[in-house]
Amino acid sequence: MTKASDVFTLKNSNKVEVTFIGRGGQITGIKVPDAKGEIADVVIGYQTVEDALAGDGYFGALCGRYANRIVKGQFELEGTTYQLECNNGPNHLHGGVDGFNNRVWEVESVQDKRYEQAYKLSLVSEDGDQGYPGKLTVDVIYGLTEDNEFVIDYTANTTKATVINLTSHAYFNLKGAGTGTIEGHELELNASKYTPIDGEIGTVTGEIAPVKGTAMDFVDPKLIGEACNSNDPQVKLVDGIDHNFVIAGFDGALRIAARLVDPESGREMEVYTDQPGVQIYTGSHFDGSETGKLGAPIEKWAGVALETQIFPDSPNKENFPNAVLEPGKEYKHTCVYKFL
Ligand code: BGC
């Protein structure tokens, strides 16, 4: 049986190293060399496993059963209205108080030719868990390739129709966790549309809007700081970016979603997914009160999360992609973080 504090490491011969723990499958570190061979830990977090277990439970964690927000925690499925717990103001966030980030996943090492090293993380979520219908069985593969790709491969099945949206919540800082904010990072997104949010309810309005002419335009590479420090009303609502972007050309095949570059260190990361969306979250709620890596305070905009996903509140938005999983069908989701 895996314990919350058990530590697992994936390594390849290029000195890339991914570390995670049993609780939430939380990624507690990703070490990546820059062009000169200087190694930095590029995910923000704490200095010890003890601090990770006591601290922000979303850092690097697997989120589910429904990552992101469901308005008022309610949705209707096959004629039944389900009420989930509201753990984020009037809304349900990341699967509820006891979301998958809070569970101890069963971890085993697996052999797979595609990966230098890989682990399988498994979880069973009982029928009624956090208010969701159906017993859900989830397997997640964490695999590291020789091409510096950290692959997260999700599969799940259910005994009754349910809604599902799994994601990984690592916040990246390619200069190195604890070295300042990501304002100087360049972000490029394969998205000409995004889903605006409503300030009062804190979640998506249901609109799919063009990014052109807004702070959300990352069609060409742009400094994250330029967007975060702008007066765009969508930015002002959340003091940064906390928005879902619509991946262009989505057809269920793996495609590029994002490219993140730190010009100072030269480290680059590409994100690929087969999902329709990616939530870009610049960590606006960090307030410096917690101590993170290198002993530095975890400040606002200390890292950026790129969470591949179905859109927020899809169960209540007819024009959004379908998040329903039927019995006999398999939920599949691949996310690749590739370090260049
Ligand atoms: C959401 C934020 C939320 C954060 C919690 C992100 O995925 O988009 O709104 O505050 O998770 O860690």
Side-chain angles (χ1 to χ4, degrees):
M1 280 260 291
T2 305
K3 294 197 291 295
S5 59
D6 283 349
V7 179
F8 305 88
T9 306
L10 296 157
K11 290 183 189 175
N12 72 9
S13 64
N14 307 320
K15 300 203 167 73
V16 174
E17 207 176 292
V18 178
T19 306
F20 67 97
I21 59 173
R23 203 274 309 263
Q26 267 183 284
I27 298 157
T28 51
I30 301 185
K31 290 190 178 149
V32 181
D34 65 11
K36 292 184 226 119
E38 293 270 338
I39 296 190
D41 186 343
V42 298
V43 294
I44 68 166
Y46 302 94
Q47 293 180 293
T48 64
V49 172
E50 262 170 33
D51 286 353
L53 291 173
D56 185 324
Y58 294 127
F59 275 22
L62 292 168
C63 298
R65 201 181 278 201
Y66 202 95
N68 214 290
R69 293 181 175 81
I70 295 182
V71 174
K72 296 187 180 150
Q74 272 177 16
F75 65 94
E76 201 189 300
L77 192 57
E78 296 181 342
T80 304
T81 300
Y82 293 93
Q83 179 65 58
L84 310 168
E85 176 193 9
C86 293
N87 59 331
N88 185 253
N91 303 314
H92 175 84
L93 176 71
H94 295 329
V97 166
D98 195 18
F100 292 176
N101 63 295
N102 203 35
R103 307 289 168 85
V104 180
W105 292 65
E106 195 53 42
V107 181
E108 60 174 301
S109 165
V110 290
Q111 301 294 325
D112 185 322
K113 280 201 281 283
R114 287 173 294 176
Y115 308 121
E116 280 305 288
Q117 283 191 307
Y119 285 97
K120 182 166 88 174
L121 298 83
S122 308
L123 180 92
V124 175
S125 164
E126 295 300 335
D127 189 2
D129 185 9
Q130 310 301 297
Y132 289 97
K135 178 176 172 179
L136 191 79
T137 306
V138 186
D139 282 339
V140 179
I141 301 285
Y142 279 173
L144 181 64
T145 72
E146 246 338 82
D147 292 332
N148 300 346
E149 295 160 320
F150 174 49
V151 181
I152 308 179
D153 224 335
Y154 308 79
T155 49
N157 56 67
T158 183
T159 56
K160 290 183 192 160
T162 191
V163 296
I164 180 169
N165 182 33
L166 305 177
T167 200
S168 170
H169 207 305
Y171 294 91
F172 294 89
N173 183 323
L174 299 180
K175 198 156 55 143
T179 66
T181 74
I182 41 77
E183 285 162 278
H185 280 41
E186 276 172 17
L187 178 66
E188 183 181 350
L189 295 175
N190 179 23
S192 57
K193 293 184 179 136
Y194 78 112
T195 53
I197 53 172
D198 176 323
E200 249 161 66
I201 55 170
T203 187
V204 289
T205 60
E207 194 192 347
I208 295 181
V211 296
K212 209 172 169 56
T214 77
M216 302 299 154
D217 189 349
F218 289 96
V219 169
D220 294 319
K222 185 172 79 185
L223 291 183
I224 293 182
E226 195 184 317
C228 282
N229 291 300
S230 81
N231 285 321
D232 187 297
Q234 285 285 315
V235 167
K236 288 286 170 210
L237 285 175
V238 284
D239 198 12
I241 306 167
D242 190 2
H243 291 82
N244 170 64
F245 290 79
V246 177
I247 295 169
F250 163 72
D251 62 358
L254 201 67
R255 63 183 60 245
I256 191 148
R259 184 174 292 117
L260 186 67
V261 178
D262 169 42
E264 216 177 300
S265 63
R267 288 193 192 87
E268 287 187 32
M269 181 178 84
E270 289 175 343
V271 183
Y272 296 82
T273 190
D274 54 6
Q275 296 298 291
V278 60
Q279 183 83 13
I280 303 296
Y281 179 48
T282 52
S284 310
H285 73 284
F286 303 138
D287 60 6
S289 60
E290 287 196 291
T291 303
K293 291 176 182 171
L294 305 181
I298 305 176
E299 289 171 304
K300 181 171 93 168
W301 306 340
V304 57
L306 302 98
E307 306 158 53
T308 56
Q309 62 179 4
I310 301 174
F311 302 174
D313 203 35
S314 280
N316 294 306
K317 305 280 190 286
E318 270 177 17
N319 57 330
F320 281 10
N322 184 20
V324 176
L325 179 67
E326 306 276 358
K329 297 264 169 63
E330 192 172 49
Y331 167 83
K332 276 176 169 292
H333 171 175
T334 300
C335 170
V336 179
Y337 296 110
K338 179 171 186 173
F339 301 97
L340 302 162

